[in-house]
Amino acid sequence: MNPKRKKRLYIVLFIVFGVAVAVGLTLFALNQNINLFYSPTQIAEGEAPTDTRIRAGGMVVDGSVKRAEDSLEVMFEITDYEKTVSVHYSGILPDLFREGQGIVAQGELDGQGVFQAVEVLAKHDENYMPAEVAEALEKAGKMPMPSGQEFNK
Amino acid sequence: MVEKKKWLPRWFYQLASPRWCYQICGKLLPGFAVAALILLLGGIVWALLFAPADYQQGNSFRIIYLHVPSAILAQSCYMMMAVAGAIGLIWKMKVADMVAKSCAPIGATMAVLALLTGAIWGKPTWGSWWVWDARLTSMLILLFLYLGVMALNSAIESESTAAQASAVLSLVGLVNIPIIKYSVDWWNTLHQPATFTLTERPAMPAEMWVPLLMMVVGFYCFFAVSLMLRLRNEILRRERRAGWVRDLLLSK
């Protein structure tokens, strides 16, 4: 490679790595702001601010969903298998909302530590399955169980 | 002059000459076109009519057969554009500049397709068209990078300056590619992790992922076809004063 090309190659490498380092440091500094939601552990440890709009994400705890009989109000708990946070929501839940499903709720933490949600979004994992397979697995008791980090999928 | 050792086959070096590149692309085109047609038609029929519906999402999951290939291709196309731009910058190779220029509109289309299909899928599944999570936002930035490269290319009159400027922009934007790829692992996002990885078996049965693989390969073949068509067009336009182009056009 002649010296001129070599010089230009170094300029190109400098651009790519320089930008990568700059962006890497910026993202590292902004780390928490890029997370879409706080996990129940973060909320329990007081990392999440109160009295301001935040998002909380986790798996809906089995058997925790309580619906009001005469309104759209619903109470449920979300967990990351370490800590649990109660969520209160009034409105229509997405189709995929069910117990054992990951969700992301937007709202505020009130004084009692209950999360008052104004929006609930369902999370979906990367596992796809035909209905018959799911049924067969369910019958055999072999439905894959979520592991510890599953709330984040 | 001393004959230097050639590391690569002769046709590879010939690609650097616009005339040879035009001819090699012309020879490759029909094969890729046929492959793209078969794979895309076969894949889409299998995916939409025969693949089983998902147990949670029902039929709406079928949109991954467009969403995943277009998202993968949008990123691959960007990498190709940046590498071609770097080669153009370092070796001052005209054909590389033309490849980079031809990549941008195709990649932008793929990014739009990925964002659109994602939004259409997001509404019934998540309950929202758009969420500012890391994956979605970085993909939107990718689209803006493509648009920026296209705008730079058409805003600057001199072809070599335009190629240099857009190559620098695409190299700067290259940092976005690993961010898109790993955004779902580094941060809490609403978007699920990768459907396809090179190291692990996909988390779905074969009758679901085989048509998806067909679609991905089909999209790549389609990309090759449209890139070569654009590239040939670009070669003819820029070399319009060359003798071989005049002969070619007059002979038809």
Side-chain angles (χ1 to χ4, degrees):
Chain A
M1 216 187 269
N2 69 33
K4 240 186 184 167
R5 285 178 188 167
K6 216 170 221 171
K7 196 179 141 204
R8 290 199 292 254
L9 175 68
Y10 288 140
I11 294 176
V12 166
L13 289 178
F14 178 75
I15 293 176
V16 172
F17 285 103
V19 171
V21 168
V23 172
L25 288 174
T26 315
L27 290 180
F28 185 71
L30 292 174
N31 206 2
Q32 184 52 60
N33 296 336
I34 299 169
N35 282 328
L36 185 72
F37 53 86
Y38 290 94
S39 66
T41 307
Q42 286 174 311
I43 292 173
E45 283 170 359
E47 272 181 49
T50 48
D51 299 329
T52 174
R53 183 67 67 84
I54 58 165
R55 288 198 188 86
M59 304 289 273
V60 179
V61 178
D62 274 335
S64 71
V65 180
K66 292 183 195 72
R67 292 171 200 269
E69 305 226 321
D70 53 348
S71 69
L72 287 171
E73 277 183 47
V74 56
M75 284 284 291
F76 55 90
E77 288 171 351
I78 55 173
T79 180
D80 57 358
Y81 303 105
E82 304 236 328
K83 301 278 182 188
T84 303
V85 171
S86 298
V87 180
H88 173 261
Y89 177 65
S90 168
I92 296 168
L93 292 162
D95 290 353
L96 273 188
F97 180 91
R98 63 195 70 187
E99 289 168 0
Q101 171 78 40
I103 62 122
V104 173
Q106 194 184 64
E108 274 176 38
L109 272 176
D110 67 6
Q112 284 88 49
V114 175
F115 193 80
Q116 301 289 342
V118 293
E119 183 189 37
V120 173
L121 301 176
K123 247 169 101 56
H124 189 269
D125 59 20
E126 77 280 29
N127 298 305
Y128 302 86
M129 223 185 279
E132 308 89 72
V133 175
E135 226 165 74
L137 283 177
E138 197 92 58
K139 256 185 209 155
K142 282 190 186 141
M143 198 66 177
M145 282 307 285
S147 57
Q149 270 292 306
E150 200 77 353
F151 77 95
N152 192 18
K153 289 195 170 169
Chain B
M1 206 180 131
V2 188
E3 180 73 20
K4 270 203 218 158
K5 191 163 185 244
K6 299 277 192 230
W7 295 93
L8 294 156
R10 210 168 83 103
W11 61 265
F12 187 80
Y13 292 94
Q14 286 176 340
L15 278 178
S17 130
R19 182 180 183 178
W20 283 102
C21 186
Y22 181 88
Q23 282 169 1
I24 292 173
C25 284
K27 277 190 197 125
L28 292 176
L29 258 175
F32 277 103
V34 170
L37 199 68
I38 292 173
L39 283 167
L40 288 180
L41 271 180
I44 205 85
V45 169
W46 189 351
L48 295 187
L49 298 180
F50 299 109
D54 182 57
Y55 75 115
Q56 281 194 322
Q57 304 170 43
N59 282 321
S60 73
F61 109 97
R62 289 182 204 275
I63 207 158
I64 65 164
Y65 293 113
L66 283 179
H67 179 74
V68 171
S70 55
I72 293 178
L73 190 53
Q75 294 170 66
S76 309
C77 181
Y78 193 92
M79 283 193 275
M80 180 159 183
M81 182 173 80
V83 169
I87 292 174
L89 273 185
I90 298 168
W91 282 277
K92 300 276 171 207
M93 201 183 285
K94 265 198 277 180
V95 174
D97 289 348
M98 297 182 209
V99 170
K101 190 181 174 185
S102 314
C103 274
I106 309 172
T109 316
M110 289 301 144
V112 168
L113 189 61
L115 288 169
L116 264 185
T117 50
I120 294 169
W121 178 84
K123 185 61 186 172
T125 316
W126 295 339
S128 166
W129 296 104
W130 182 262
V131 181
W132 290 101
D133 88 344
R135 174 57 78 82
L136 277 66
T137 310
S138 54
M139 199 65 198
L140 187 65
I141 293 172
L142 183 75
L143 173 63
F144 290 157
L145 282 167
Y146 275 127
L147 296 181
V149 168
M150 284 161 69
L152 261 183
N153 258 323
S154 45
I156 301 172
E157 192 93 15
S158 145
E159 270 154 1
S160 60
T161 321
Q164 272 182 358
S166 50
V168 170
L169 177 60
S170 46
L171 283 171
V172 167
L174 197 58
V175 70
N176 193 31
I177 295 293
I179 295 178
I180 298 179
K181 174 102 181 66
Y182 294 107
S183 54
V184 287
D185 302 324
W186 289 342
W187 301 295
N188 295 339
T189 56
L190 192 61
H191 194 286
Q192 62 267 35
T195 312
F196 267 156
T197 51
L198 289 176
T199 48
E200 276 175 63
R201 280 180 57 81
M204 56 171 104
E207 63 262 40
M208 281 176 157
W209 67 257
V210 174
L212 182 54
L213 188 64
M214 273 174 79
M215 289 299 284
V216 172
V217 178
F219 262 66
Y220 271 103
C221 291
F222 170 76
F223 167 65
V225 170
S226 51
L227 178 67
M228 286 192 286
L229 283 176
R230 282 187 165 275
L231 181 61
R232 270 161 63 100
N233 198 27
E234 186 68 20
I235 290 175
L236 285 188
R237 199 181 64 76
R238 281 204 209 176
E239 302 287 301
R240 59 189 176 275
R241 285 183 199 88
W244 68 272
V245 174
R246 205 163 298 157
D247 293 345
L248 184 89
L249 293 181
L250 286 178
S251 70
K252 286 207 174 148

